């Protein structure tokens, strides 16, 4: 192959790499979308920067993004309020096109000038360094020389997430919020092979109530014990939370078969659907219910203050194994999509003030101490009337009935 052919192959290879890099970037952008509100806030802040008073007390002058970092943690390094994430992005809108796509190894530094702060990539300029004189153009005629080159692009390094994925991803598929009518109408396991009482991964079972073959999904989640979630203030049942116990695949649909009987009328036998157990969180049994496997959700969040006023309560601590929830645990709250909550909304947790007797007053009246802020949580999955939220910061344990309001 001659020089021209070699250059042509090299050009095609470089074009293929560029196409792959562009496709990867586009896939990342589509997976990590930016809302119009976040972009508008970032644009507004980008024009003037952030007041120095809004920076965290110990905000570093420079920081190198590390593997394992999260957007929430980096926001907390630079800003007093980590949920003011769009402003962190807005400090440098020109360079940080998409805040979800910040990678390990990138250097960030604070440019504090004219009483404002802006976040920039790279290293800060050396104070007092002279500005180099512009070089004389050795090619005033404007002749452009082209030569093949290689541009290195990191395709294997994943962008940093908003939160550690292991904290929320199980709840995107495992947590089941259902309506009572949906529970009562859900298909059910009616039998197992060889009279088994308990089922585990790899076992075969039989179910009734599945949709007809043309409309039936192939994969199902198996659950039991639909527990009512009640509003702590009114006692109203907001939804039902079901316990996920496993997953199954439909191998054969439910059918019927007619058999001759002793009389003139034939007997119709019901042949239940055949399912194979694919995954087991715990042993399953006859009577457990099935719901279609939902599409996979991506765990992308943008921490922000809610766009609506919130006065909510904690409904339950997920799992009900403990009375008090700690940091990185999940709670259910009594506000959902109908109340205007969306993914990423950050709420302040209030601890109810103690009721006690004022012993300094001869009348010994009972007094109520004011509620105090106890931490922060972030909504990461919403339903119509309830939401799941992750506790991000906490001073003391969180319990059912604790109040949640907009952060300040």
């Amino acid at each position: 192959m001659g020089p021209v052919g070699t250059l042509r192959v090299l050009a095609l290879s470089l074009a293929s790499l560029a196409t792959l890099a562009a496709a990867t970037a586009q896939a990342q952008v589509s997976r990590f979308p930016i809302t119009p509100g976040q972009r508008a806030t970032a644009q507004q802040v980008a024009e003037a920067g952030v007041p120095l008073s809004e920076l965290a007390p110990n905000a570093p002058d420079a920081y190198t993004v590390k593997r394992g970092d999260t957007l929430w943690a980096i926001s907390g390094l630079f800003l007093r309020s980590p949920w003011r994430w769009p402003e962190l992005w807005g400090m440098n809108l020109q360079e940080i096109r998409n805040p979800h796509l910040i990678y390990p190894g990138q250097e960030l530094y604070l440019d504090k000038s004219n009483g404002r702060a802006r976040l920039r990539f790279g290293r800060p300029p050396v104070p007092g360094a002279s500005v180099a004189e512009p070089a004389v153009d050795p090619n005033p005629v404007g002749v452009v020389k082209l030569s093949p080159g290689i541009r290195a692009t990191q395709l294997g390094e994943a962008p940093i997430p908003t939160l550690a994925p292991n904290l929320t991803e199980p709840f995107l598929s495992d947590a089941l919020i259902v309506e009572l009518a949906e529970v009562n109408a859900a298909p059910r396991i009616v039998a197992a092979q060889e009279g088994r009482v308990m089922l585990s991964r790899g076992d075969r079972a039989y179910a009734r109530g599945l949709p007809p073959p043309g409309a039936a999904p192939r994969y199902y989640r198996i659950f039991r014990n639909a527990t009512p979630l009640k509003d702590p203030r009114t006692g109203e049942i907001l939804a039902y939370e079901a316990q996920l116990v496993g997953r199954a695949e439909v191998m054969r649909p439910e059918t019927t078969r007619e058999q001759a009987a002793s009389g003139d009328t034939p007997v119709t036998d019901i042949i239940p659907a055949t399912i194979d157990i694919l995954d087991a969180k715990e042993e399953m049994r006859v009577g457990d219910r099935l719901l279609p496997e939902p599409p996979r959700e991506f765990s992308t969040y943008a921490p922000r203050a809610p766009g609506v006023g919130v006065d909510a309560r904690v409904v339950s601590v997920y799992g009900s194994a403990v009375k008090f929830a700690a940091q990185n645990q999940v709670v259910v709250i009594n506000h959902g999509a109908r109340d205007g909550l969306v993914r990423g909304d950050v709420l302040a947790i209030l601890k109810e003030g103690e009721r006690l007797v004022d012993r300094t007053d001869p009348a010994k009246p009972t007094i109520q101490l004011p509620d105090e802020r106890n931490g922060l949580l972030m909504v990461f999955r919403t339903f119509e009337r309830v939401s799941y939220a992750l506790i991000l910061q906490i001073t003391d344990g969180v319990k059912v009935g604790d109040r949640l309001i907009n952060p300040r």
Side-chain angles (χ1 to χ4, degrees), residues 31 165 169-170 172-173 247 293-299 343:
R31 180 178 175 182
E169 283 188 349
L172 297 180
S173 58
R247 291 177 171 83
E293 183 81 27
R296 179 175 174 80
E297 296 186 47
F298 291 116
S299 54
R343 277 188 185 186

Side-chain angles (χ1 to χ4, degrees), residues 56-57 70-84 162-163 167 303 314 325-331 345-351 372-379 389-399 402-404 407-408:
T70 62
L71 187 60
W72 174 267
I74 293 177
S75 298
L77 280 177
F78 291 101
L79 296 173
R80 290 180 179 273
S81 305
W83 65 86
R84 299 180 69 172
T162 305
L163 300 171
L167 298 178
V314 174
Q327 186 166 325
N328 294 336
Q329 283 190 272
V330 171
V331 296
D345 280 349
V346 175
L347 301 175
I349 308 167
L350 297 184
K351 184 176 182 179
E372 296 289 348
R373 180 161 151 170
N374 190 29
L376 295 170
L377 57 72
M378 190 192 78
V379 173
L390 177 71
I391 298 174
L392 300 171
Q393 299 172 1
I394 196 67
T395 303
D396 202 356
V398 177
K399 68 181 187 304
D402 279 355
R403 188 181 175 196
L404 309 168
R408 297 186 179 91

Side-chain angles (χ1 to χ4, degrees), residues 177 227-241 311-320 322-323 325 330-336 338-339 341 347 349 377 385-389 391 398-404:
I177 297 296
T227 305
L229 297 174
K230 296 182 179 181
D231 190 302
R233 292 178 292 183
T234 65
E236 177 190 6
I237 296 179
L238 302 173
Y240 289 82
E241 184 179 58
D311 187 2
R313 294 293 189 277
V314 174
V315 171
S316 73
V317 178
Y318 186 80
S320 301
V322 293
K323 181 178 180 181
V330 171
V331 296
V332 181
I333 68 175
N334 66 343
H335 275 40
R338 72 170 185 177
D339 305 293
L341 286 187
L347 301 175
I349 308 167
L377 57 72
R385 306 173 75 186
V386 297
S387 298
Y388 283 109
I391 298 174
V398 177
K399 68 181 187 304
V400 172
D402 279 355
R403 188 181 175 196
L404 309 168

Side-chain angles (χ1 to χ4, degrees), residues 26-349:
Q26 182 59 40
Q28 296 284 17
V29 170
S30 61
R31 180 178 175 182
F32 300 94
I34 305 301
T35 67
Q38 293 159 4
R39 188 174 297 280
T41 300
Q43 182 66 53
Q44 180 182 2
V45 176
E47 294 174 357
V50 173
L52 297 181
S53 60
E54 297 297 327
L55 293 176
N58 299 317
D61 293 328
Y63 182 75
T64 301
V65 181
K66 299 178 179 61
R67 186 187 300 272
D69 277 343
T70 62
L71 187 60
W72 174 267
I74 293 177
S75 298
L77 280 177
F78 291 101
L79 296 173
R80 290 180 179 273
S81 305
W83 65 86
R84 299 180 69 172
W85 155 88
E87 291 160 77
L88 178 67
W89 172 33
M91 292 179 194
N92 191 357
L93 187 61
Q94 287 72 32
E95 295 183 11
I96 306 177
R97 295 291 183 182
N98 189 327
H100 296 296
L101 304 183
I102 299 177
Y103 294 84
Q106 289 181 328
E107 294 182 335
L108 307 173
Y109 77 92
L110 277 178
D111 175 7
K112 304 175 185 177
S113 57
N114 301 322
R116 313 291 289 188
R118 296 171 181 82
L119 192 64
R120 303 191 184 279
F121 276 134
R123 297 183 179 181
V126 179
S130 60
V131 180
E133 292 293 332
V136 178
D137 187 0
N139 184 25
V141 181
V143 178
V144 179
K145 296 181 179 180
L146 299 177
S147 58
I150 297 177
R151 181 178 65 181
T153 302
Q154 248 184 338
L155 297 179
E157 192 72 72
I160 64 169
T162 305
L163 300 171
N166 63 292
L167 298 178
T168 58
E169 283 188 349
F171 296 91
L172 297 180
S173 58
D174 291 1
L176 293 172
I177 297 296
V178 294
E179 298 292 338
L180 183 59
E182 186 180 17
V183 172
N184 293 334
R188 63 198 181 279
I189 297 176
V190 296
Q193 282 188 324
E194 301 172 354
R196 293 183 182 178
V197 178
M198 296 296 182
L199 295 164
S200 59
R201 182 178 178 181
D203 287 343
R204 174 157 287 189
Y206 305 98
R208 290 202 57 204
L210 295 174
R218 182 175 177 182
Y219 298 100
Y220 283 82
R221 296 183 296 178
I222 305 171
F223 68 95
R224 73 166 66 102
N225 299 337
T227 305
L229 297 174
K230 296 182 179 181
D231 190 302
R233 292 178 292 183
T234 65
E236 177 190 6
I237 296 179
L238 302 173
Y240 289 82
E241 184 179 58
Q243 175 188 0
L244 179 72
V245 292
R247 291 177 171 83
E249 178 182 5
V250 178
M251 307 308 294
R252 288 191 296 266
E254 180 177 326
T255 58
T256 58
R257 180 174 57 196
E258 290 189 357
Q259 293 189 11
S262 56
D264 296 333
T265 304
V267 175
T268 300
D269 290 333
I270 299 173
I271 302 176
T274 302
I275 62 173
D276 284 349
I277 307 300
L278 300 179
D279 180 44
K281 295 179 70 69
E282 61 179 77
E283 290 184 320
M284 286 146 277
R285 57 177 180 257
V286 171
D288 286 346
R289 300 280 181 163
L290 296 91
L291 284 177
E293 183 81 27
R296 179 175 174 80
E297 296 186 47
F298 291 116
S299 54
T300 59
Y301 316 101
R304 43 156 283 179
V308 296
V310 177
D311 187 2
R313 294 293 189 277
V314 174
V315 171
S316 73
V317 178
Y318 186 80
S320 301
V322 293
K323 181 178 180 181
F324 293 95
Q327 186 166 325
N328 294 336
Q329 283 190 272
V330 171
V331 296
V332 181
I333 68 175
N334 66 343
H335 275 40
R338 72 170 185 177
D339 305 293
L341 286 187
V342 297
R343 277 188 185 186
D345 280 349
V346 175
L347 301 175
I349 308 167

